[in-house]
Amino acid sequence: MMNTKLLKDTTEDIAAAADILAAGGLVAFPTETVYGLGANALDAEAVGKVYAAKGRPSDNPMIVHISSKDDLLALTPEVTADMQLLMEHFWPGPMTMIVPRLSLIPDTTTGGLDTVGVRMPDHPVALSLISAAQCPVAAPSANLSGKPSPTTAKDVKEDLYGRVDAIIESTDCQVGIESTVIDMMGEQPMILRPGIITREDFEEALKKPVALDPTLNQRPDVFNNEDFKPRAPGMKYKHYAPKAQMTVFEGSPQAVQEVICREAAKYRAEGKKVCVISFDEKDQKAAAHQFFARLREADREGADMILASALPEEGIGFSVMNRMLKSAGYNIRKV
Ligand code: TXA
Ligand code: MG
């Protein structure tokens, strides 16, 4: 167990955190999406420690965070017209672009791929930290591998206290789900991980069609198929899993509500602790903001079962469902 410094989001503490990053240490910090666990992206040894602290498979590449749009050119050989448009529309913000990488980025950071994911977060603490550290910052979500992503400082402490050099304790993350990952390597850009910036948003900015990785949100029959090869390596691992057994109910809102009520009563009669998760279908941003926090709450309450109602898979609802299906291990009941 290592000594973890608990820092505030003050100028002084951010400077101390930046020194830790520059010296090859690990710092957990807030972003607008989820908390990240940062290391100097150009220091293979530092990045190696991130995999160890999270218990993360080493073929799962990290997103490299920058504090100014100009810094993209230090990581990739050329900024194309499409990349330029997306940067102008969505940075700083919850968008990660997959682009060709320059060789100064170590293999450890990219999981050996010849591409790199780059993002400029929209959070004052993250931006000051990266700019003060004077290096690009590799940062996966600041959770233990397999657990729900952390959207509060408390979540981060639960997972990483004693495993990292410092944690910056700041306010809760506003977006609540991770950035949209968009692959810019092909003729047609492709979304590899959905987020609150949607396919429609990208198409409007680029004035051309954008593809969705066809494996996204596929149900188990497809998931277990040999041809299931998601293009973002991280998408294939067990993810976001609460301790409780989780079931997602799909169907008309009324039928789902009835079945959940009935099932909850049945389990409670058996002495089980049941947690019900459902969202207002009309406020998808609120659903994204709350989803991981609700899973973590269920764990803290010692829930045995989580019964969740599916959202319509459109717009941000598609992105929240992407997380929900994984958390439930694709345990779905159609009603
Ligand atoms: O919002 C976010 O993106 C957060 C905050 C901290 O910025 N970070 C985050 O990182 O979610 P992580 O490591 O938990 O997820 C990164 C995802 C993984 O699915 C990974 O496989 C994919 O992005 N990825 C990263 N680099 C890639 C690359 N070069 N090619 C394809 N997929 C990549
Ligand atoms: Mg993650």
Side-chain angles (χ1 to χ4, degrees):
M1 171 120 167
M2 65 199 275
N3 177 19
T4 300
K5 278 199 187 103
L6 294 178
L7 300 172
K8 300 278 167 232
D9 54 8
T10 57
T11 313
E12 199 180 30
D13 275 10
I14 293 171
D19 289 344
I20 294 172
L21 285 179
L26 304 190
V27 176
F29 63 96
T31 82
E32 81 280 31
T33 56
V34 301
Y35 273 76
L37 176 59
N40 177 352
L42 305 182
D43 178 345
E45 202 184 310
V47 173
K49 291 192 279 186
V50 175
Y51 289 100
K54 279 184 57 101
R56 178 179 174 110
S58 62
D59 70 340
N60 192 0
M62 309 229 170
I63 294 172
V64 176
H65 296 69
I66 56 180
S67 60
S68 120
K69 292 176 195 168
D70 296 338
D71 293 346
L72 179 60
L73 256 183
L75 302 172
T76 194
E78 184 203 356
V79 176
T80 64
D82 281 352
M83 284 157 66
Q84 187 67 40
L85 272 174
L86 292 190
M87 253 157 74
E88 278 164 16
H89 276 83
F90 303 115
W91 277 358
M95 171 187 74
T96 297
M97 286 197 289
I98 306 298
V99 298
R101 74 149 164 168
L102 286 175
S103 58
L104 91 162
I105 307 168
D107 278 343
T108 319
T109 303
T110 64
L113 297 175
D114 52 13
T115 55
V116 60
V118 186
R119 165 163 128 81
M120 180 183 175
D122 185 15
H123 195 291
V125 176
L127 292 172
S128 327
L129 175 69
I130 299 161
S131 113
Q134 295 187 300
C135 61
V137 174
S141 46
N143 53 283
L144 289 174
S145 196
K147 295 238 293 170
S149 293
T151 56
T152 72
K154 186 175 173 191
D155 299 341
V156 178
K157 280 192 285 185
E158 272 177 12
D159 279 19
L160 297 180
Y161 190 81
R163 304 177 72 91
V164 301
D165 296 290
I167 296 171
I168 301 182
E169 294 184 87
S170 187
T171 47
D172 298 354
C173 303
Q174 281 312 301
V175 173
I177 58 173
E178 311 89 330
S179 61
T180 309
V181 176
I182 182 162
D183 185 342
M184 302 303 287
M185 298 298 290
E187 185 55 34
Q188 187 180 40
M190 185 189 274
I191 294 174
L192 306 188
R193 180 175 69 182
I196 68 155
I197 300 175
T198 62
R199 179 188 201 166
E200 293 73 31
D201 297 330
F202 287 123
E203 290 183 336
E204 204 178 299
L206 293 172
K207 308 264 180 280
K208 70 176 193 187
V210 166
L212 266 187
D213 180 338
T215 62
L216 289 174
N217 294 18
Q218 292 302 325
R219 307 307 199 253
D221 44 327
V222 181
F223 196 62
N224 293 328
N225 186 310
E226 286 220 331
D227 298 331
F228 178 79
K229 289 199 185 72
R231 306 222 297 173
M235 301 299 271
K236 70 175 179 279
Y237 293 108
K238 184 177 164 177
H239 247 93
Y240 313 133
K243 291 184 204 119
Q245 188 197 318
M246 178 166 167
T247 308
V248 178
F249 293 84
E250 287 182 342
S252 76
Q254 202 196 339
V256 165
Q257 206 192 348
E258 274 171 28
V259 175
I260 288 184
C261 272
R262 206 167 58 224
E263 294 282 299
K266 186 187 88 191
Y267 289 124
R268 282 176 184 138
E270 292 170 8
K272 296 217 164 76
K273 185 146 181 63
V274 181
C275 173
V276 172
I277 297 185
S278 68
F279 300 107
D280 175 2
E281 286 187 5
K282 285 182 211 75
D283 194 351
Q284 298 178 325
K285 277 200 172 166
H289 171 67
Q290 291 164 21
F291 179 65
F292 285 126
R294 299 288 291 277
L295 293 187
R296 294 235 172 204
E297 233 169 71
D299 275 356
R300 276 183 204 124
E301 287 169 5
D304 301 300
M305 322 285 297
I306 297 175
L307 309 179
S309 46
L311 283 169
E313 290 183 60
E314 285 149 24
I316 296 172
F318 182 83
S319 312
V320 177
M321 281 306 291
N322 176 265
R323 279 37 172 211
M324 199 187 284
L325 293 170
K326 284 168 196 272
S327 322
Y330 294 84
N331 180 22
I332 303 152
R333 261 187 54 192
K334 293 207 162 44
V335 300

